[in-house]
C-alpha cells in the first residue's frame, strides 16, 4: 500500500464552503476585502490575499487558510489581519480555501510571535514554523496523473514508459514514489519531458496529516434494549455458548461500571475472540460505535501535597511575598533542597484560582521523572509537550490547551511548549534556568526559552519563577540588582549534608602507575565500597562514543569527516566511525588510508569505552549507559531511568543529561572521569558552565539520608573553578566571573550578538565576512570581534565564519539592531554575496 494512502485528503469544503455559500446569500458581495497572511517561510513580510465579504465576516486572526504562493505551490497561511487595503506592489491572489472554523492561535500568541521576531531578528514565518506542530503546516505536494488522451507511447523513453505504465496501475503518484519505482534520485527531467509530450498532467494537493485516535465501543441495538427484549435476546444466542458468554459479560460490565464499554474490554473480560463479537453485531444484537480519545492521558491524583519543611515553607512564603511586587523571582535552592515540593504548592494555589501553569524543563530526560512525581499529586490535570511525542500527540495537547480543558491545566514540557495557545496563564516555572538547552541555536528563531517565558508571563499578567541550584550569572545579577525577586533555599531536604567532594590528581596517579584504564585506584575502591553496601553509582563523562579520535601509529593521520572539519568518533558497539555534526558514518578501516599501516589506535575516551572497561573490571554488576546513542527511541529515557530507579542497574554511565535534576535516592557516589575538557572549551562561559555542570552532577549523590561522596578526576586539581566546586562556593564563583565579564565586556554588562556566514565556497565566505566585518567596525568600532573561523570551521560542506558584536550598557539595543539590519540589506544586495547564508543570533550564549 502506498504511504500516501495513509494520509487523509483534506476536505473542509463540505462544512466551511457551505458556511461561505450561506453567508454569501445573506450578505451580497459588494466590497473587496483582504487578509494579511503569515506564511511558514523565512520571509520578513506578510502577504496580502483577496477574500469575499462573506469570507471577511467568517475569518478572524489566528485562522489557517490554504493560499497559493509562487507559480503553483500552496501553503498553510495564518490570518494576521482582515482589512480593505489593497496591496500597491502586486495584485492580490484569492485564497484557496479556509482550513479552520475557529482560530487555533490567539491574540496573545501573535503578540509573543511578533516580539520574538523583533527581538531575535528573524522573520515571523520562522516563528510560525517553529511554533506549530508539523501537522498544522499543511503544504501542497505535486502529484502526477496519466493523461488519458495520450496514445502515442512510442514517443516515450524506457524510463518514461516505466512511469507511464505505473500510472496505469495507480491513479496518481508523487515524485518520491516515482523515484522509488524507477530507482533514480532525480526524476524531474523525465517528468518535464513527459509533460511536454502530453503524457502526464500534474496538480497540487493538500493532505491532512493529523489522524484522531478512535476507540471502538459496543452497545445493545435499540431493538434489544429493555426488559421485554431481554428474553428474546438470550434465546437468540442460547445455542452459541461463546456468544451467550459475551452477552452475559456485557450485562455484568454495564451494571458494574455504568460507563461506555470498549469492544476490547468486552473481549478480554468474556474471554472471547473478535469473531464472536462480530457475530453478535451481524445478528443486530450489538452495534459498534467510535469515540475520539487522546493518545496520552494520566490517571487521577493518588496522593496529596507533602508537608513542607520549615526551610521550604520559609522559601514558599518569601516567593509569595516577592510576587506581590516582582513579576519574576529567582529561587536559588541547593541540590536536593526540595524545590519541586515548593513548586507543587505554588501550582496548587494557581489551580485553585482556575488558571493554567506552564512548567518548563531543559531536557526531555527530566520530564520522565517529574511526570511520575507530579501526576501522583495532580493526576489528570497534566499534559506533556516535547519533541519525543508523536505529531498526533502534540496536536492533541495543542487542542486541549486551546479549548482550556481540565486535562491541560498544567503543561509540562521543553522550550517548544512556550508556543502553546494559553489564554489564562497564572504561573510559569522555569526549572534549571541556567541550562544552555533553553537556547535555540539553529535554525531560526534563535530564542532563549527562559527570557521568552518572562515575556510570555508579562503578556498574561502571570508570575514567573526561575529555579536553579547554580543560577546563570545574568539571572543572579538581576536578582542582586532587585530587577528580579531573589529567594534562597540553602538546606537540603531532611537536613542531609551536602556531598563530600574530593579532587583526584590523575597526573600523579599516572606517574605512580595507579590507574586502571581511565579509573584511579581511589575511584575504583570507592565504587566497590558503594556496591558492597548495596548502593548505586553514577559516572559522568561528557563525551559519547568509544573514542573521539582513531589514529595511525605510523603516520599519525586520523580519519576525517568528508563533510565537516572534524575527526570521526569511533563507536565500538556498532563497529563504525561517526561524525557527531552531520551523522556521516563509515565502517572501521582495516588499515590507514594514508600510509596503509594496520597499526591503528584510539585517543581519548567516551561513555561507551567507560561502559566496556567497567564490564571488565566489575563483571558481577549491571552497568547502564545514558547518552544520545541509548535514548534515541521514544521511551529510551524512561526505560533507563526506570531501570536505575528500580535498582536493576548498579552503575550508570552518562553524559550531561545525567546532571539535571534527576532524583535517585540510593546513589551514594558520583564520579567525574575527566573535568578538564569542560574547562578548556573556547567560550567566555566555559568556567561558569563547568561549575554548574559539576555541582549539578555532584548533587545526584546522597539525596536521601546518608551523606554522598563525589570524586572528580583531573590533571589540574588546583584550578580555581574545581576548588570552588569542592567547597560548593557559588557566590565566590559568581563574584570572580563578574569581574572577568566587566573587564572583557561580556554579559551581564554588555549584550552579545553573533553573526554567522555559511557557504560552500571558502573564498566567497572569506570575502563576504571581511566586507561585513569592516562595515560593522565602521559603525561599532572596537565592539566588533572577527571575522573568525570557529573551532569546527566546516559543517555539512558549508564553511563558517563568525562576527561578534558587543553592545555597551548605554547603547540603544533597538538602534543597534536597526543599523545591523540596514547593513544586512546592503550586504544581500551585492550579487556575489546573495547566496551566502547569513544568521543573526541575539544573546548568543
Amino acid at each position: 500500500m502506498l504511504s500516501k494512502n495513509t494520509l487523509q485528503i483534506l476536505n473542509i469544503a463540505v462544512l466551511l464552503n457551505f458556511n461561505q455559500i450561506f453567508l454569501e446569500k445573506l450578505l451580497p458581495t459588494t466590497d473587496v476585502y483582504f487578509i494579511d497572511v503569515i506564511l511558514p517561510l523565512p520571509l520578513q513580510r506578510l502577504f496580502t490575499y483577496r477574500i469575499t465579504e462573506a469570507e471577511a465576516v467568517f475569518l478572524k486572526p489566528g485562522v489557517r487558510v490554504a493560499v497559493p504562493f509562487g507559480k503553483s505551490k500552496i501553503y498553510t497561511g495564518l490570518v494576521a489581519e482582515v482589512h480593505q487595503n489593497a496591496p500597491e506592489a502586486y495584485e492580490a491572489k484569492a485564497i484557496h480555501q479556509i482550513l479552520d472554523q475557529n482560530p487555533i492561535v490567539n491574540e496573545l500568541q501573535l503578540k509573543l510571535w511578533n516580539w520574538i521576531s523583533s527581538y531575535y531578528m528573524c522573520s515571523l514565518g520562522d516563528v510560525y514554523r517553529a511554533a506549530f506542530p508539523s501537522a498544522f503546516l499543511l503544504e501542497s505536494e505535486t502529484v502526477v496523473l496519466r493523461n488519458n488522451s495520450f496514445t502515442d507511447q512510442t514517443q516515450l523513453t524506457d524510463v518514461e514508459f516505466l512511469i507511464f505504465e505505473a500510472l496505469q496501475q495507480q491513479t496518481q503518484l508523487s515524485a518520491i514514489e516515482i523515484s522509488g519505482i524507477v530507482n533514480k534520485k532525480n526524476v524531474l527531467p523525465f517528468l518535464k519531458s513527459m509533460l511536454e509530450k502530453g503524457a502526464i498532467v500534474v496538480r497540487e494537493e493538500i493532505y491532512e496529516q493529523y489522524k484522531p485516535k478512535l476507540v471502538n465501543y459496543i452497545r445493545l441495538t435499540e431493538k434489544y434494549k429493555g426488559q421485554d427484549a431481554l428474553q428474546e435476546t438470550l434465546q437468540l444466542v442460547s445455542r452459541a455458548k461463546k456468544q451467550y458468554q459475551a452477552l452475559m459479560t456485557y450485562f455484568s460490565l454495564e451494571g458494574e461500571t455504568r460507563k461506555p464499554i470498549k469492544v476490547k474490554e468486552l473481549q478480554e473480560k468474556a474471554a472471547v475472540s473478535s469473531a464472536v463479537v462480530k457475530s453478535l453485531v451481524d445478528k443486530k444484537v450489538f452495534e459498534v460505535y467510535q469515540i475520539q480519545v487522546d493518545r496520552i492521558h494520566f490517571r487521577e491524583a493518588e496522593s496529596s501535597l507533602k508537608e513542607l519543611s520549615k526551610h521550604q515553607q520559609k522559601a514558599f512564603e518569601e516567593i509569595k511575598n516577592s510576587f506581590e511586587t516582582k513579576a519574576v523571582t529567582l529561587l536559588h535552592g541547593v541540590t536536593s533542597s526540595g524545590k519541586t515540593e515548593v513548586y507543587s504548592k505554588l501550582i496548587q494555589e494557581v489551580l485553585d484560582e482556575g488558571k493554567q501553569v506552564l512548567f518548563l524543563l531543559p531536557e526531555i530526560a527530566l520530564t520522565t521523572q517529574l511526570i511520575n512525581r507530579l501526576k501522583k499529586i495532580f493526576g489528570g490535570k497534566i499534559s506533556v509537550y516535547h519533541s519525543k511525542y508523536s505529531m498526533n500527540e502534540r496536536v492533541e495537547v495543542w487542542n486541549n490547551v486551546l479549548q482550556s480543558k481540565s486535562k491541560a491545566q498544567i503543561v509540562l514540557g521543553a522550550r517548544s511548549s512556550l508556543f502553546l495557545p494559553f489564554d489564562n496563564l497564572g504561573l510559569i516555572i522555569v526549572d534549571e534556568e541556567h541550562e544552555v538547552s533553553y537556547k535555540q541555536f539553529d535554525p531560526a528563531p534563535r530564542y532563549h526559552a527562559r527570557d521568552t517565558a518572562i515575556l510570555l508571563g508579562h503578556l498574561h499578567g502571570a508570575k514567573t519563577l526561575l529555579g536553579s541550584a547554580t543560577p546563570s550569572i545574568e539571572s543572579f545579577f538581576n536578582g542582586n540588582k532587585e530587577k528580579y525577586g531573589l529567594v534562597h533555599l540553602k538546606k537540603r531536604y531532611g537536613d542531609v549534608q551536602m556531598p563530600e567532594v574530593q579532587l583526584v590528581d590523575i597526573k600523579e596517579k599516572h606517574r605512580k602507575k595507579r590507574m586502571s584504564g581511565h579509573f584511579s585506584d581511589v575511584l575504583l575502591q570507592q565504587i566497590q565500597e558503594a556496591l558492597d553496601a548495596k548502593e548505586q553509582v553514577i559516572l559522568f563523562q561528557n563525551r559519547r562514543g568509544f573514542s573521539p579520535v582513531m589514529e595511525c601509529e605510523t603516520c599519525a593521520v586520523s580519519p576525517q569527516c568528508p563533510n565537516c572539519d572534524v575527526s570521526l568518533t569511533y563507536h565500538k558497539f556498532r563497529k563504525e566511525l561517526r561524525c557527531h555534526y552531520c551523522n556521516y558514518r563509515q565502517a572501521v578501516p582495516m588499515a590507514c588510508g594514508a600510509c596503509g599501516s594496520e597499526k591503528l589506535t584510539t585517543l581519548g575516551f567516551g561513555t561507551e569505552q567507560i561502559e566496556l572497561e567497567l564490564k571488565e573490571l566489575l563483571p558481577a554488576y549491571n552497568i547502564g549507559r545514558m547518552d544520545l546513542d541509548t535514548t534515541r527511541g521514544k521511551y529510551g529515557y524512561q526505560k533507563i531511568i526506570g531501570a536505575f530507579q528500580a535498582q536493576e542497574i548498579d552503575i550508570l554511565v552518562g553524559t550531561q543529561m545525567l546532571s539535571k535534576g534527576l532524583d535517585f535516592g540510593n546513589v551514594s557516589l558520583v564520579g567525574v572521569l575527566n573535568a578538564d575538557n569542560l574547562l578548556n572549551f573556547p567560550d567566555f562561559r566555559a568556567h561558569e558552565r563547568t561549575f554548574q555542570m559539576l555541582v549539578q552532577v555532584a548533587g545526584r549523590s546522597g539525596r536521601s539520608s546518608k551523606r554522598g561522596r563525589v570524586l572528580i578526576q583531573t590533571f589540574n586539581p588546583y584550578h580555581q573553578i574545581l576548588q570552588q566546586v569542592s567547597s560548593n562556593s557559588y557566590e565566590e564563583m559568581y563574584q570572580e566571573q563578574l569581574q572577568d565579564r566587566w573587564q572583557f565586556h561580556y554579559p551581564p554588562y554588555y549584550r552579545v550578538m553573533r553573526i554567522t556566514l555559511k557557504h560552500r565556497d571558502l573564498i566567497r565566505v572569506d570575502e563576504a565576512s571581511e566586507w561585513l566585518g569592516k562595515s560593522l567596525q565602521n559603525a561599532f568600532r572596537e565592539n566588533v570581534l572577527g571575522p573568525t573561523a570557529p573551532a569546527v570551521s566546516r559543517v555539512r560542506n558549508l564553511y563558517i565564519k563568525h562576527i561578534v558584536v558587543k553592545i555597551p550598557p548605554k547603547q540603544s539595543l533597538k538602534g543597534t539592531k536597526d543599523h545591523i539590519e540596514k547593513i544586512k540589506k546592503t550586504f544581500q544586495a551585492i550579487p556575489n554575496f546573495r547566496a551566502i547564508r547569513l544568521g543573526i543570533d541575539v544573546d548568543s550564549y
Side-chain angles (χ1 to χ4, degrees):
M1 186 182 289
L2 292 173
S3 61
K4 200 60 68 218
N5 292 342
T6 64
L7 298 174
Q8 186 179 359
I9 295 178
L10 190 66
N11 190 10
I12 305 293
V14 175
L15 178 63
L16 297 181
N17 288 356
F18 172 80
N19 288 341
Q20 183 180 326
I21 293 162
F22 178 69
L23 287 167
E24 282 172 349
K25 285 181 179 177
L26 289 177
L27 300 165
T29 305
T30 52
D31 296 330
V32 180
Y33 286 82
F34 300 92
I35 51 171
D36 288 339
V37 169
I38 306 168
L39 292 176
L41 300 168
L43 302 169
Q44 292 294 343
R45 48 180 293 191
L46 303 181
F47 290 86
T48 304
Y49 287 85
R50 188 178 72 252
I51 56 171
T52 64
E53 189 172 352
E55 288 169 332
V57 171
F58 185 80
L59 286 171
K60 297 179 181 68
V63 170
R64 292 178 306 153
V65 288
V67 294
F69 188 77
K71 289 184 179 179
S72 60
K73 198 75 175 166
I74 296 170
Y75 285 100
T76 303
L78 194 76
V79 177
E81 188 183 353
V82 182
H83 57 83
Q84 289 185 279
N85 305 317
E88 295 177 2
Y90 56 92
E91 186 178 347
K93 295 178 182 178
I95 65 170
H96 185 68
Q97 63 190 54
I98 301 169
L99 301 178
D100 300 308
Q101 278 188 288
N102 298 302
I104 62 169
V105 169
N106 61 40
E107 185 184 344
L108 290 173
Q109 276 178 289
L110 289 172
K111 284 183 180 177
L112 179 71
W113 292 9
N114 278 301
W115 178 83
I116 291 172
S117 172
S118 169
Y119 185 83
Y120 291 105
M121 297 180 73
C122 61
S123 71
L124 205 50
D126 286 325
V127 185
Y128 173 34
R129 183 169 280 281
F132 263 15
S134 58
F136 287 151
L137 295 170
L138 310 177
E139 290 182 15
S140 66
E141 184 172 24
T142 304
V143 293
V144 180
L145 300 94
R146 183 168 58 92
N147 186 356
N148 292 323
S149 61
F150 179 77
T151 54
D152 188 6
Q153 296 180 17
T154 57
Q155 297 181 44
L156 303 176
T157 65
D158 291 345
V159 174
E160 290 169 1
F161 181 77
L162 193 60
I163 296 169
F164 190 79
E165 196 175 46
L167 287 167
Q168 289 178 320
Q169 305 298 320
Q170 299 287 342
T171 54
Q172 62 184 42
L173 291 168
S174 70
I176 295 169
E177 289 164 348
I178 290 170
S179 178
I181 290 166
V182 299
N183 198 26
K184 290 186 181 294
K185 283 188 178 179
N186 186 12
V187 294
L188 296 180
F190 301 108
L191 297 179
K192 185 172 181 283
S193 171
M194 291 178 78
L195 267 173
E196 289 167 355
K197 292 169 184 174
I200 58 170
V201 291
V202 296
R203 74 170 182 227
E204 295 288 313
E205 285 195 2
I206 303 176
Y207 293 90
E208 173 66 86
Q209 296 179 55
Y210 170 64
K211 295 183 79 173
K213 183 180 180 182
L214 301 172
V215 175
N216 289 332
Y217 283 80
I218 198 162
R219 63 189 171 201
L220 284 173
T221 55
E222 288 296 327
K223 182 181 176 183
Y224 291 105
K225 283 183 179 176
Q227 291 295 324
D228 298 337
L230 180 60
Q231 196 64 34
E232 184 187 343
T233 311
L234 293 172
Q235 283 179 356
L236 184 68
V237 298
S238 59
R239 292 185 181 180
K241 185 182 175 184
K242 287 289 184 183
Q243 291 179 24
Y244 183 84
Q245 189 176 320
L247 194 61
M248 295 308 291
T249 305
Y250 173 83
F251 289 133
S252 173
L253 286 170
E254 191 180 39
E256 285 174 17
T257 62
R258 305 279 180 188
K259 291 179 181 177
I261 298 164
K262 294 178 186 175
V263 173
K264 192 176 179 182
E265 184 185 5
L266 178 63
Q267 288 174 206
E268 287 173 358
K269 295 282 185 183
V272 297
S273 67
S274 57
V276 174
V277 175
K278 187 178 183 300
S279 299
L280 287 166
V281 172
D282 292 341
K283 289 179 179 178
K284 301 287 191 290
V285 176
F286 283 145
E287 63 179 355
V288 175
Y289 64 102
Q290 293 180 318
I291 296 178
Q292 184 177 331
V293 298
D294 286 349
R295 288 168 168 82
I296 304 284
H297 55 86
F298 299 108
R299 294 178 184 174
E300 290 307 308
E302 299 170 9
S303 60
S304 56
L305 287 167
K306 284 184 181 179
E307 191 74 28
L308 297 183
S309 69
K310 64 177 182 180
H311 301 294
Q312 288 173 326
Q313 186 64 36
K314 182 170 179 283
F316 171 71
E317 288 166 4
E318 286 178 6
I319 291 167
K320 287 189 67 180
N321 292 336
S322 173
F323 278 155
E324 289 178 10
T325 55
K326 301 277 196 309
V328 183
T329 296
L330 172 64
L331 173 60
H332 177 207
V334 298
T335 55
S336 193
S337 57
K339 294 187 286 295
T340 306
E341 276 68 45
V342 177
Y343 298 156
S344 299
K345 193 84 181 285
L346 288 164
I347 289 169
Q348 187 60 62
E349 291 203 349
V350 173
L351 293 183
D352 291 343
E353 294 171 12
K355 294 186 176 181
Q356 298 164 308
V357 176
L358 172 60
F359 199 131
L360 285 175
L361 293 160
E363 285 275 359
I364 297 165
L366 277 180
T367 62
T368 302
Q369 202 172 50
L370 198 65
I371 289 164
N372 292 331
R373 294 171 71 179
L374 293 183
K375 75 181 181 183
K376 288 178 184 176
I377 305 166
F378 302 108
K381 296 175 182 176
I382 297 173
S383 286
V384 181
Y385 191 86
H386 56 63
S387 60
K388 287 282 183 183
Y389 272 29
S390 71
M391 177 187 66
N392 288 327
E393 288 164 350
R394 278 178 279 166
V395 169
E396 284 163 2
V397 174
W398 183 287
N399 289 333
N400 290 338
V401 175
L402 183 67
Q403 295 158 24
S404 299
K405 289 188 177 178
S406 61
K407 65 180 77 174
Q409 284 180 273
I410 304 168
V411 175
L412 196 71
R415 59 175 183 254
S416 57
S417 54
L418 282 166
F419 296 113
L420 287 166
F422 299 101
D423 65 351
N424 190 23
L425 263 179
L427 175 67
I428 301 173
I429 296 170
V430 186
D431 197 22
E432 310 296 348
E433 66 84 28
H434 65 278
E435 275 296 335
V436 70
S437 307
Y438 280 126
K439 173 68 176 173
Q440 163 78 9
F441 288 103
D442 267 316
R446 298 173 180 87
Y447 67 100
H448 198 297
R450 178 196 62 216
D451 301 339
T452 308
I454 291 169
L455 191 276
L456 179 65
H458 172 72
L459 291 174
H460 283 267
K463 303 300 181 185
T464 305
L465 180 64
L466 313 178
S468 177
T470 52
S472 65
I473 299 289
E474 296 78 32
S475 295
F476 204 72
F477 181 80
N478 287 331
N480 281 330
K481 292 290 181 184
E482 297 187 357
K483 184 178 177 181
Y484 300 166
L486 180 59
V487 175
H488 297 279
L489 182 54
K490 294 187 176 180
K491 290 283 185 181
R492 279 188 150 193
Y493 187 76
D495 289 329
V496 178
Q497 285 184 293
M498 293 295 289
E500 177 192 349
V501 180
Q502 181 181 348
L503 300 174
V504 180
D505 186 350
I506 50 176
K507 182 170 66 176
E508 186 70 12
K509 295 291 181 185
H510 274 293
R511 191 177 66 80
K512 293 181 177 178
K513 295 184 170 51
R514 291 181 180 172
M515 296 289 291
S516 299
H518 295 96
F519 295 88
S520 63
D521 55 348
V522 181
L523 181 55
L524 278 176
Q525 181 189 340
Q526 298 216 11
I527 289 173
Q528 190 62 60
E529 286 174 9
L531 295 173
D532 290 343
K534 305 294 182 189
E535 294 163 347
Q536 292 169 292
V537 178
I538 285 177
L539 295 177
F540 173 73
Q541 169 60 12
N542 202 27
R543 190 184 288 277
R544 63 189 173 101
F546 183 86
S547 173
V549 179
M550 176 173 273
E551 186 179 85
C552 173
E553 290 183 7
T554 306
C555 66
V557 169
S558 59
Q560 300 289 305
C561 174
N563 309 316
C564 314
D565 280 343
V566 68
S567 59
L568 294 171
T569 301
Y570 174 40
H571 287 253
K572 190 170 185 177
F573 179 72
R574 292 185 176 271
K575 296 179 181 175
E576 67 182 13
L577 297 175
R578 189 187 303 173
C579 175
H580 288 173
Y581 287 85
C582 71
N583 213 30
Y584 168 83
R585 302 175 186 201
Q586 70 175 57
V588 176
M590 301 301 292
C592 173
C595 70
S597 170
E598 294 182 1
K599 292 182 179 179
L600 300 176
T601 187
T602 57
L603 302 175
F605 63 101
T607 50
E608 195 179 313
Q609 189 169 345
I610 297 302
E611 181 190 19
L612 292 171
E613 280 187 19
L614 281 170
K615 285 178 177 176
E616 288 181 11
L617 292 166
L618 302 163
Y621 298 95
N622 292 324
I623 317 295
R625 176 161 57 94
M626 186 171 167
D627 56 27
L628 194 61
D629 297 320
T630 60
T631 56
R632 290 190 185 278
K634 181 176 179 180
Y635 300 106
Y637 296 103
Q638 201 170 319
K639 286 174 184 173
I640 295 167
I641 290 171
F644 194 61
Q645 214 157 12
Q647 299 182 27
E648 294 168 12
I649 296 173
D650 300 305
I651 305 173
L652 184 59
V653 181
T655 55
Q656 45 82 29
M657 58 179 69
L658 274 177
S659 67
K660 301 168 188 175
L662 295 170
D663 187 7
F664 303 114
N666 196 41
V667 173
S668 65
L669 175 66
V670 167
V672 178
L673 276 301
N674 186 359
D676 302 300
N677 60 355
L678 300 170
L679 286 164
N680 300 327
F681 201 74
D683 181 9
F684 76 92
R685 295 190 73 169
H687 286 182
E688 177 195 355
R689 287 194 174 137
T690 300
F691 180 89
Q692 288 166 340
M693 193 167 287
L694 293 178
V695 168
Q696 288 286 345
V697 78
R700 303 315 106 208
S701 172
R703 296 176 69 92
S704 53
S705 54
K706 184 180 173 182
R707 187 183 187 188
R709 290 168 295 165
V710 180
L711 261 72
I712 300 174
Q713 295 189 160
T714 173
F715 285 96
N716 185 10
Y718 303 105
H719 194 288
Q720 188 65 22
I721 287 293
L722 298 180
Q723 291 293 324
Q724 289 161 357
V725 169
S726 66
S727 57
N728 196 34
S729 307
Y730 176 82
E731 295 269 0
E732 187 183 324
M733 183 278 295
Y734 167 75
Q735 293 297 340
E736 189 180 283
Q737 292 302 307
L738 216 54
Q739 289 174 10
D740 288 348
R741 302 285 177 87
W742 174 252
Q743 185 179 352
F744 297 107
H745 297 175
Y746 279 109
Y749 300 107
Y750 279 58
R751 290 181 179 272
V752 174
M753 294 171 63
R754 185 171 66 201
I755 300 171
T756 304
L757 298 92
K758 296 181 181 179
H759 195 266
R760 288 178 177 273
D761 185 344
L762 176 60
I763 295 170
R764 195 181 295 191
V765 172
D766 283 342
E767 288 175 359
S769 61
E770 287 297 330
W771 185 96
L772 189 59
K774 284 177 183 175
S775 300
L776 291 166
Q777 283 164 3
N778 289 337
F780 305 115
R781 307 296 174 191
E782 70 279 359
N783 290 320
V784 176
L785 303 179
T788 57
V792 180
S793 59
R794 182 174 61 101
V795 175
R796 298 179 189 272
N797 283 321
L798 294 173
Y799 292 94
I800 305 169
K801 280 295 179 81
H802 286 163
I803 300 171
V804 173
V805 179
K806 295 181 180 178
I807 306 169
K810 293 181 181 178
Q811 185 173 310
S812 165
L813 180 62
K814 186 179 183 304
T816 304
K817 288 180 183 176
D818 290 344
H819 199 83
I820 289 174
E821 200 63 56
K822 286 178 187 174
I823 293 172
K824 180 184 170 184
K825 285 178 181 175
T826 308
F827 173 86
Q828 291 174 332
I830 298 170
N832 199 36
F833 298 161
R834 277 180 192 159
I836 302 282
R837 291 191 196 176
L838 191 68
I840 300 176
D841 189 356
V842 180
D843 297 342
S844 57
Y845 47 85

